[in-house]
Amino acid sequence: MKKTKSCSLVVSLMLFFVTCTFAQKPAPAPVITYRNPVIAGDFADPSVIRVGNVYYAVGTSSEWGPAYPMYTSKNLVNWEYIGPVFLDMPDWTMGSFWAPEFFYRNNTYYIYYTARRKSDQKSFIGVASTKDLKKGFKDHGIIIEWTNEAIDAFVVEDKGKLFITWKAYGLDKGKDIELLGAELSADGLKMVGQEFSLIKADAAGWEGGGAEGQTIFKRGNYWYMLYSGNACCGEKCDYQVGMARAEKLQGPWKKFSGNPVLFGDDTWKCPGHGTVVVTPDKRYFYLHHAYSGSDFTFGGRQGVLSELVWDETTQWPAFRYGKTTPAQAESPSNILAIDQADFSVNYEKDSLQIPWVYDVKYQKPSYSIEGDALRITANEHQPVSNFLGVVVKKGNYDFTAQIGVLEDLNQNIVVYGDSENALGFGVREGQIELWQIKDGEYKVLNKQDIPDKYKIIDLKLNSRFGRFYEFSWGVKGQKVDSASPVKMEASWLPRWDRAPRVGINVSGKKQGKSDIRSVQMKYN
């Protein structure tokens, strides 16, 4: 009996210590994640570099000025807008500000960019540089003029020499689309070497729409390339990503047998055209673009992040979360993502500078903050030429502008696709008007009278998925019985390679200045 009690005591003590040991074992650290997009809104063809422990990214601005928005981040997840590459457009350009390539060498930042030339409307590659991003870039003009088009530059250093690569023959009949390369001068400002071929697009396969948007990087004994194929843009896009590798930059390049390695799904559509960047702890990330499955072309091609992992046996990488862009993934750092999309500016007391954009088809709008209001100079008989807009981060939002009513000017909130496709809602000669410009034709869709006693009006826009709009107006602190909202759908607004912007403008039969008291954007 005593022996049984003794054994029971020992067993109980053992169970106690085992239980305590397990109880005291620290829980595993929680995995910090991020959600795509990491750079929300229309930010196509992103190029990213790491300088020390700081990342910089730049993207396509298409027909919007200022050209090429730049962002900075310390973790690849939280990005802060730092300004455009060009406040004023390079003299040789007229639009199509596509696919800028960030590069850093010898304490100098370079941007190799695609733009359309004024003289012949052909797209070629230019270069600009700066020692200080805060002081802007100096343009050095065209660096590659190649047949009918040269786009999508990517620059790499190999054994102390610089090389530039680009997409060629996209507009040349009877020639296969091809990625070419050539050596650059030591200062990176001139092409000095003979061109060489990297890969040709396979017209019979998934690359039938072409090959472009290449990013090239070195690991071990191989150079690796991610490149994009098929249709990049619009509601019929079918963009996908392939891989290739070579032992020498000049080739021969071998395409991966499992191409394409990244394609679209219902969450993120038509992924492609980005840059691979390596973190200090040797993780490989591909910052690229894709359309949101909910907002699609109404939200534009947004900046998304996908991680690459390596098969050390085959020496080929693969995307960590499969062949589609992850909705949520393990973060490159232990810092949580922050959403800072909303803004509100009351010009009576706030000094916040909104990063306005404008249509480069027109001259840069003249505007200033005077007398506690935003004053945009109106142009005669040009209803949208002085539009100031913002990049829309999400399709569900409320945009509001408070205006002082002016007798001779029409002040509007505007959803803007391009100069011939826009939707506006504003005050005009004692009335609230909803109007559109569709395929270049101006048309008033709805009118409401406003009493003379109302001198300050709130113009409001509610957007759902960037496609369904409800316009309304009111007077702060007062109930207005006649202010019934107007609803409509505008599926015709997105342009082929860009999403609509939302903003404000002023027009009239004679010149004048707007009286905009406040502007607010709130995402839902």
Side-chain angles (χ1 to χ4, degrees):
M1 189 73 170
K2 289 182 179 179
K3 184 176 180 182
T4 303
K5 287 184 177 180
S6 176
C7 290
S8 298
L9 179 62
V10 171
V11 171
S12 298
L13 287 171
M14 289 176 66
L15 288 172
F16 172 77
F17 284 118
V18 169
T19 302
C20 289
T21 300
F22 278 107
Q24 293 174 3
K25 187 177 181 179
V31 175
I32 304 299
T33 63
Y34 68 91
R35 293 192 66 85
N36 276 316
V38 293
I39 303 180
D42 200 3
F43 188 70
D45 312 324
S47 174
V48 58
I49 57 173
R50 178 168 67 88
V51 180
N53 291 323
V54 179
Y55 301 93
Y56 299 96
V58 62
T60 282
S61 55
S62 194
E63 308 309 315
W64 300 105
Y68 309 115
M70 294 186 295
Y71 290 79
T72 187
S73 173
K74 293 182 178 180
N75 54 29
L76 284 175
V77 172
N78 297 317
W79 291 88
E80 179 184 357
Y81 176 73
I82 57 175
V85 172
F86 297 121
L87 279 171
D88 298 306
M89 306 306 165
D91 290 340
W92 68 274
T93 67
M94 62 170 289
S96 298
F97 295 104
W98 298 336
E101 155 67 359
F102 235 140
F103 189 72
Y104 181 78
R105 187 176 189 246
N106 296 335
N107 298 315
T108 302
Y109 298 88
Y110 297 86
I111 297 288
Y112 296 85
Y113 64 94
T114 299
R116 196 173 297 277
R117 186 164 61 183
K118 289 179 183 177
S119 60
D120 56 10
Q121 300 187 24
K122 292 182 179 181
S123 289
F124 295 122
I125 295 170
V127 60
S129 66
T130 186
K131 296 282 188 181
D132 186 347
L133 292 176
K134 296 179 181 179
K135 294 182 179 179
F137 281 78
K138 178 183 178 181
D139 183 47
H140 302 283
I142 294 176
I143 190 172
I144 297 180
E145 178 182 348
W146 196 263
T147 64
N148 288 307
E149 182 187 67
I151 64 173
D152 294 3
F154 189 86
V155 173
V156 66
E157 184 174 349
D158 183 20
K159 299 177 182 178
K161 293 183 178 182
L162 293 179
F163 294 86
I164 189 168
T165 64
W166 70 97
K167 175 190 177 182
Y169 311 128
L171 297 180
D172 292 278
K173 293 182 179 181
K175 292 186 70 70
D176 293 329
I177 294 175
E178 194 169 359
L179 297 181
L180 300 178
E183 186 179 343
L184 290 176
S185 57
D187 62 6
L189 302 181
K190 294 180 181 179
M191 190 172 76
V192 296
Q194 181 69 30
E195 78 278 1
F196 56 88
S197 177
L198 285 82
I199 62 172
K200 290 185 178 182
D202 180 6
W206 70 273
E207 304 165 5
E212 60 188 26
Q214 71 283 2
T215 176
I216 300 171
F217 57 99
K218 186 80 178 289
R219 186 181 187 268
N221 295 326
Y222 288 105
W223 287 97
Y224 293 88
M225 179 197 304
L226 295 184
Y227 63 98
S228 301
N230 275 345
C232 68
C233 314
E235 62 181 8
K236 296 182 180 180
C237 67
D238 189 23
Y239 225 29
Q240 300 172 68
V241 176
M243 289 194 303
R245 74 181 182 189
E247 294 185 14
K248 295 181 180 180
L249 184 63
Q250 290 82 356
W253 285 82
K254 178 183 178 181
K255 295 180 181 180
F256 182 57
S257 61
N259 281 343
V261 295
L262 190 67
F263 45 75
D265 63 4
D266 290 339
T267 302
W268 288 103
K269 299 176 181 291
C270 307
H273 199 144
T275 306
V276 171
V277 66
V278 184
T279 65
D281 58 349
K282 304 302 181 184
R283 291 173 69 185
Y284 286 71
F285 285 90
Y286 184 47
L287 180 65
H288 59 102
H289 72 235
Y291 285 110
S292 160
S294 58
D295 299 333
F296 199 23
T297 55
F298 299 89
R301 295 167 291 166
Q302 307 190 50
V304 293
L305 196 63
S306 299
E307 186 174 3
L308 288 165
V309 292
W310 292 88
D311 183 328
E312 298 299 347
T313 301
T314 66
Q315 294 295 303
W316 281 104
F319 284 101
R320 179 178 177 181
Y321 298 97
K323 291 192 173 187
T324 58
T325 304
Q328 186 172 1
E330 183 180 349
S331 178
S333 70
N334 59 359
I335 299 175
L336 294 172
I338 301 172
D339 189 349
Q340 299 176 321
D342 294 357
F343 64 82
S344 180
V345 179
N346 183 336
Y347 289 106
E348 292 184 354
K349 56 183 179 181
D350 295 333
S351 58
L352 175 66
Q353 296 295 314
I354 297 174
W356 296 116
V357 299
Y358 62 93
D359 188 340
V360 297
K361 177 179 178 179
Y362 301 111
Q363 289 186 345
K364 184 178 180 180
S366 174
Y367 64 95
S368 60
I369 299 173
E370 303 171 12
D372 301 328
L374 177 63
R375 311 287 183 180
I376 308 171
T377 301
N379 295 325
E380 293 183 66
H381 310 300
Q382 293 184 353
V384 292
S385 63
N386 54 18
F387 169 75
L388 293 177
V390 293
V391 175
V392 176
K393 306 293 185 180
K394 303 174 186 176
N396 297 339
Y397 63 86
D398 294 303
F399 183 79
T400 305
Q402 185 178 82
I403 66 166
V405 178
L406 300 173
E407 183 177 347
D408 298 323
L409 294 178
N410 184 13
Q411 300 175 89
N412 309 276
I413 54 176
V414 180
V415 185
Y416 190 102
D418 62 12
S419 62
E420 296 190 345
N421 295 277
L423 194 60
F425 184 69
V427 181
R428 178 186 179 93
E429 297 178 351
Q431 292 183 317
I432 297 287
E433 287 187 350
L434 175 65
W435 51 266
Q436 72 177 28
I437 303 175
K438 187 175 181 181
D439 297 328
E441 181 180 350
Y442 180 91
K443 182 180 180 181
V444 176
L445 303 177
N446 186 279
K447 291 184 179 182
Q448 296 180 24
D449 292 329
I450 56 173
D452 292 339
K453 64 179 180 179
Y454 296 143
K455 303 302 181 184
I456 300 177
I457 299 290
D458 289 331
L459 300 173
K460 303 176 183 179
L461 164 63
N462 172 260
S463 168
R464 299 291 294 172
F465 306 111
R467 176 177 182 176
F468 302 99
Y469 302 115
E470 180 177 286
F471 296 91
S472 60
W473 65 279
V475 179
K476 188 176 182 179
Q478 299 185 47
K479 182 179 180 181
V480 181
D481 294 331
S482 62
S484 57
V486 181
K487 298 180 180 181
M488 69 175 301
E489 185 261 359
S491 59
W492 41 271
L493 275 174
R495 302 296 88 201
W496 166 72
D497 67 335
R498 58 195 184 277
R501 271 46 169 175
V502 64
I504 50 182
N505 88 312
V506 58
S507 61
K509 297 178 181 179
K510 61 181 182 180
Q511 286 196 345
K513 292 185 178 182
S514 65
D515 184 14
I516 298 169
R517 308 295 180 86
S518 65
V519 178
Q520 183 182 69
M521 172 67 93
K522 182 175 177 58
Y523 290 96
N524 304 314

